[in-house]
Amino acid sequence: MSHPAPLTPEEQLADAKKLLSLPHVVVICGSTRFMAEMTEADLRETTAGKIVVKPACDMKSPHELWSDPVEAEALKARLDDLHRAKIRLADEVLVVGDYIGDSTRAEISYARSLGKPVRFTHPEVDPAA
């Protein structure tokens, strides 16, 4: 008698989201130079009934939390890990802005490696296009 394969963690998460009747989850990615555009995308996605997660720290703007260069480097690594967790949680990725830097390119690659759909506010910057 064969037994069904156990569910992967990703399948378990998808099932839990369905059981909880959670709305579609979108993670916003992009350069922090587009924070205003990310806020606008957040507004549009939220009013369309989606749960939105996005970067909250613009480390290019001065702030006491990242004023020390050593602490800032450690914080950047933690924030990168946190953003990858947001990508794993999300049902899809929305890339905001007309520029793709190395970090965003890595996020897109990571999302696609997980089979996440990726949308762009500026499709012409899609590295796969």
Side-chain angles (χ1 to χ4, degrees):
M1 171 185 216
S2 67
H3 297 282
L7 296 177
T8 66
E10 293 81 8
E11 291 167 332
Q12 291 176 12
L13 178 59
D15 284 352
K17 287 177 178 178
K18 286 178 191 168
L19 287 171
L20 293 168
S21 300
L22 292 179
H24 196 74
V25 179
V26 178
V27 61
I28 294 176
C29 295
S31 171
T32 55
R33 71 175 72 171
F34 300 116
M35 290 300 274
E37 291 87 344
M38 288 182 193
T39 299
E40 179 65 21
D42 183 350
L43 174 67
R44 292 183 182 282
E45 296 292 316
T46 298
T47 58
K50 300 173 186 175
I51 294 173
V52 179
V53 291
K54 65 181 179 63
C57 300
D58 176 4
M59 293 186 68
K60 292 179 181 132
S61 297
H63 194 282
E64 65 184 58
L65 290 174
W66 47 84
S67 60
D68 177 89
V70 174
E71 290 178 21
E73 189 171 331
L75 176 59
K76 170 80 167 97
R78 290 194 312 273
L79 292 174
D80 287 347
D81 288 344
L82 181 61
H83 201 67
R84 281 190 293 278
K86 292 175 184 180
I87 292 169
R88 290 191 303 276
L89 175 68
D91 298 305
E92 75 171 315
V93 173
L94 174 59
V95 180
V96 173
D98 61 358
Y99 162 81
I100 303 292
D102 292 339
S103 294
T104 303
R105 189 177 317 279
E107 292 165 358
I108 293 165
S109 177
Y110 182 64
R112 286 183 166 152
S113 77
L114 298 173
K116 305 285 180 174
V118 180
R119 286 187 292 134
F120 292 80
T121 60
H122 293 78
E124 68 274 10
V125 300
D126 183 349

